[in-house]
C-alpha cells in the first residue's frame, strides 16, 4: 500500500502554521502511521498484523471493504481467534440487544398493522459454522462446496447463543419469524434438523433457494422473497443477517441488523 | 439486560443431542455470556467495560445501534483512548485504502462519463475534533453548541492524516472534490481557514447549511445537495463520511465509505 506520502510536508505545514496549538497533543491519527507498518522484529510484525486485521474486520462489518473473496492470509488466525473468543460473543450479544430494543418499540408503533414479521438468515446468524472452518483455516481462502455440504448434512452446527435468545424473545413478543436462507431446497431436511438440534422452534416458514433461484445474487433472491412476504400481508419490521446482501435491496425491513462475520463474503 | 435465559436448556439439549460432536470445542459464542457481565473485582469490571465498549463501538459503526444521544458513561474513557491511539489511525487508514482502491477502478469504468466527483464530509472525516472532546470527556454526553462553535472559530482542528492522503490522491487521479458539511454558512471563513491550516487544497466547492437548511435532518439536506451536484453534471462516484446520515438517502454515491466516529451521532 501507498503510505508515508506527504508525511514530511504535512508535519512541516502543521509546525509552521500551528503556533497557537503548541499545547495540544499529537494524536496517532494526525501523523502518518508508518510505525504501524514498519516492524523490526517478530513481535512487532505480529502486533502490526493484529492491528491491521482488527481494522480489516471493521471494514468488512461496515461494508467499506466492498466485495472480497478471501480472508487475508495474515488474518486467518486472528479471524478464528475472534470467532472463538469473547469478542464475537459480545459483539453478537450487543446486536441482539439492539434488535430487541427496536423490536419492542416497533411493535408498539405498528399496533394494528399487518402481521409483524422478523426475517432471520441462518448461517452465521442463527447457526454458527465456525467449527467447520476451524478444522482447517484455509477453508476461509477457497470455498469448498462439497465439504461444506457434508457439514450441512451433519446438521450439528451450534446456535449462536445471543441469536437463539433474541429469537425466543421475538416469538414471545408475538412476531412471525421467517427464515430466509441462501441454502438450497435439497438441504431442507438437514437444515430443519440442525435448527431443531440448536434449539430453534416455531418458525412461520423456512425459505430456501429453489432451482429457479440458482445463480441469482443474494440481494436479488432475498429481495424477491421479502416482496412476496409483504404481498402476503407480513409487515417486515426487522431483518437479521451476517451479510449486507441479506439486508440491502428492495423492499428492506424497517430496521436491518448486521451480525458480524469475518470468515466469508456473499454477494 | 436480559441474559442467562435458556442457558441450561441449551446446554442440556446440546449435551443430549450432540453425541457426534463431542470432539468439538465449546465456543464462547455458543454459551450464554454471563461471565462477561458478572464481575467479582475492579479488574474484571474494567475488562467487562472494555469488552462491552468495543462491541458498542462496532454497533455504532455498522448502524446497528440506531439513533443514539450520548456515549455510554462507562465508555467515555474507552472512546477517547480509541481516538488517541493506534486503532483509530489504523481503522481510518484501512477505510482510505478501500476508498482509493475503489476510486482508481471506478474512474477507469466511468471513462468518458460526466465529471467524476468525490464528496467529503468535514468533521471527523477531513478534520479531527478529538482535541475539543479530550478537554472534557463529558462534552460527549451533551453537545454544547457555544463551546463547539468557539472551537470551530479557532480553526485549529488537525487533519485526519489518512483522509488528507486520500484527498490528495483523488485530486491527482482527476476527481472533482466537493465538501459537504453540516456546518453553517456563517462558519465558512473559519472552516476554510481550518482546512488550509490542516493542509487541504483545491476543493471544487464547499457547501454549508444555508438559513433555509436549518432544522433539516442531515440525510435530507445532504441528499438535496447531492441531487443538485448530479443536476450540475457531476457523477458522484465516492462519498466519505463519519455518519450514516452523510451517506444514505437519495441519490447515493456509487460507493459510500463510513469513517469511524464513536464520539457523537448526527441524525
Amino acid at each position: 500500500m501507498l503510505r508515508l506520502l506527504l508525511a514530511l510536508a504535512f508535519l512541516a505545514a502543521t509546525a509552521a502554521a500551528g503556533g497557537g496549538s503548541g499545547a495540544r497533543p499529537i494524536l496517532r491519527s494526525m501523523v502518518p502511521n508508518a510505525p504501524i507498518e514498519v516492524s523490526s522484529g517478530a513481535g512487532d510484525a505480529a502486533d502490526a498484523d493484529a492491528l491491521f486485521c482488527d481494522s480489516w474486520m471493521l471494514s468488512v462489518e461496515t461494508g467499506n471493504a466492498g466485495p472480497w473473496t478471501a480472508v487475508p492470509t495474515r488474518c486467518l488466525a486472528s479471524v478464528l481467534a475472534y470467532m472463538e473468543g469473547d469478542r464475537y460473543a459480545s459483539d453478537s450479544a450487543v446486536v441482539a440487544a439492539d434488535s430487541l430494543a427496536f423490536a419492542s418499540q416497533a411493535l408498539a408503533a405498528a399496533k394494528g398493522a399487518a402481521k409483524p414479521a422478523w426475517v432471520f438468515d441462518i448461517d452465521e446468524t442463527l447457526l454458527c459454522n465456525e467449527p467447520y472452518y476451524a478444522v482447517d483455516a484455509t477453508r476461509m481462502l477457497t470455498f469448498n462446496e462439497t465439504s461444506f455440504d457434508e457439514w450441512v448434512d451433519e446438521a450439528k452446527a451450534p446456535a449462536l447463543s445471543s441469536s437463539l435468545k433474541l429469537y425466543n424473545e421475538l416469538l414471545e413478543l408475538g412476531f412471525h419469524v421467517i427464515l430466509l436462507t441462501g441454502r438450497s431446497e435439497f438441504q431442507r431436511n438437514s437444515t430443519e434438523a440442525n435448527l431443531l438440534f440448536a434449539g430453534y422452534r416455531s418458525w412461520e416458514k423456512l425459505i430456501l433457494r429453489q432451482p429457479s433461484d440458482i445463480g441469482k445474487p443474494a440481494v436479488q433472491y432475498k429481495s424477491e422473497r421479502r416482496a412476496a412476504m409483504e404481498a402476503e400481508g407480513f409487515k417486515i419490521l426487522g431483518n437479521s443477517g451476517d451479510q449486507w446482501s441479506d439486508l440491502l435491496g428492495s423492499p428492506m425491513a424497517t430496521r436491518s441488523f448486521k451480525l458480524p462475520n469475518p470468515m466469508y463474503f456473499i454477494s
Side-chain angles (χ1 to χ4, degrees), chain A residues 47-60 75 78 82 87:
Chain A
D47 288 351
D49 279 355
L51 186 61
F52 168 78
C53 296
D54 281 348
S55 295
W56 176 78
M57 283 193 256
L58 177 63
S59 79
V60 165
C75 298
S78 299
Y82 168 82
R87 267 304 299 276

Coordinates of all heavy atoms in Angstrom, one line a residue, chain A residues 47-60 75 78 82 87:
Chain A
D47 N 2.1 -7.7 16.1 CA 1.3 -6.5 16.5 C 0.7 -5.8 15.3 O -0.4 -5.4 15.3 CB 2.2 -5.5 17.4 CG 2.5 -6.1 18.7 OD1 1.9 -7.1 19.1 OD2 3.3 -5.4 19.4
A48 N 1.6 -5.6 14.3 CA 1.1 -4.9 13.1 C 0.0 -5.7 12.4 O -1.0 -5.2 12.0 CB 2.2 -4.7 12.1
D49 N 0.2 -7.1 12.4 CA -0.9 -7.9 11.8 C -2.2 -7.8 12.6 O -3.3 -7.7 12.1 CB -0.4 -9.4 11.8 CG 0.5 -9.7 10.6 OD1 0.7 -8.8 9.8 OD2 1.0 -10.8 10.5
A50 N -2.0 -7.9 14.0 CA -3.2 -7.8 14.8 C -4.0 -6.5 14.6 O -5.2 -6.5 14.5 CB -2.8 -8.0 16.3
L51 N -3.2 -5.4 14.5 CA -3.9 -4.1 14.3 C -4.5 -4.0 13.0 O -5.7 -3.6 12.8 CB -2.8 -3.0 14.5 CG -3.3 -1.6 14.4 CD1 -4.3 -1.3 15.6 CD2 -2.1 -0.6 14.5
F52 N -3.8 -4.5 12.0 CA -4.4 -4.4 10.6 C -5.6 -5.3 10.5 O -6.7 -4.9 10.0 CB -3.4 -4.9 9.5 CG -4.0 -5.1 8.2 CD1 -4.4 -4.1 7.4 CD2 -4.4 -6.4 7.8 CE1 -5.0 -4.3 6.2 CE2 -5.0 -6.6 6.6 CZ -5.4 -5.6 5.8
C53 N -5.6 -6.5 11.1 CA -6.7 -7.4 11.0 C -7.9 -6.9 11.7 O -9.0 -7.1 11.3 CB -6.3 -8.8 11.5 SG -4.9 -9.5 10.4
D54 N -7.7 -6.3 12.9 CA -8.9 -5.7 13.6 C -9.5 -4.6 12.7 O -10.7 -4.5 12.6 CB -8.4 -5.0 14.9 CG -8.2 -6.0 16.0 OD1 -8.6 -7.2 15.9 OD2 -7.6 -5.6 17.0
S55 N -8.7 -3.8 12.0 CA -9.2 -2.8 11.1 C -9.8 -3.4 9.9 O -10.9 -2.9 9.4 CB -8.1 -1.8 10.7 OG -7.6 -1.1 11.9
W56 N -9.2 -4.4 9.4 CA -9.8 -5.1 8.2 C -11.2 -5.7 8.6 O -12.2 -5.5 7.8 CB -8.9 -6.2 7.7 CG -9.5 -7.0 6.6 CD1 -9.6 -6.6 5.3 CD2 -10.2 -8.3 6.7 NE1 -10.3 -7.6 4.6 CE2 -10.7 -8.6 5.4 CE3 -10.5 -9.1 7.7 CZ2 -11.4 -9.7 5.1 CZ3 -11.2 -10.3 7.5 CH2 -11.7 -10.6 6.2
M57 N -11.3 -6.3 9.8 CA -12.6 -6.8 10.2 C -13.7 -5.7 10.3 O -14.8 -5.9 9.9 CB -12.5 -7.6 11.5 CG -11.8 -9.0 11.3 SD -12.0 -10.1 12.8 CE -10.4 -10.0 13.5
L58 N -13.3 -4.6 10.8 CA -14.2 -3.5 10.9 C -14.6 -3.0 9.5 O -15.8 -2.8 9.3 CB -13.6 -2.3 11.6 CG -14.4 -1.0 11.7 CD1 -15.7 -1.3 12.5 CD2 -13.7 0.2 12.3
S59 N -13.7 -3.0 8.6 CA -14.0 -2.6 7.2 C -15.0 -3.6 6.5 O -15.8 -3.2 5.7 CB -12.8 -2.4 6.3 OG -12.3 -3.7 5.9
V60 N -14.9 -4.8 6.9 CA -15.9 -5.8 6.4 C -17.3 -5.6 7.1 O -18.3 -5.6 6.4 CB -15.4 -7.3 6.8 CG1 -16.5 -8.3 6.7 CG2 -14.2 -7.6 5.9
C75 N -4.5 -12.7 8.3 CA -5.6 -12.6 9.3 C -6.3 -13.9 9.6 O -7.3 -13.9 10.4 CB -6.6 -11.5 8.8 SG -5.9 -9.9 8.6
S78 N -6.2 -14.5 13.3 CA -7.0 -13.5 14.0 C -8.5 -13.8 13.9 O -9.2 -13.6 14.9 CB -6.7 -12.1 13.4 OG -5.4 -11.7 13.6
Y82 N -10.9 -14.5 16.9 CA -12.1 -13.6 17.1 C -13.4 -14.5 17.3 O -14.2 -14.3 18.2 CB -12.3 -12.7 16.0 CG -13.6 -11.9 16.0 CD1 -13.8 -10.8 16.7 CD2 -14.6 -12.4 15.1 CE1 -15.0 -10.1 16.7 CE2 -15.9 -11.7 15.1 CZ -16.1 -10.6 15.9 OH -17.3 -10.0 15.9
R87 N -15.0 -11.6 22.0 CA -15.4 -10.5 21.2 C -16.6 -10.9 20.3 O -17.6 -10.2 20.2 CB -14.3 -10.0 20.3 CG -13.5 -8.8 20.9 CD -14.3 -7.6 21.3 NE -15.1 -7.0 20.3 CZ -14.6 -6.1 19.4 NH1 -13.3 -5.7 19.5 NH2 -15.3 -5.5 18.5

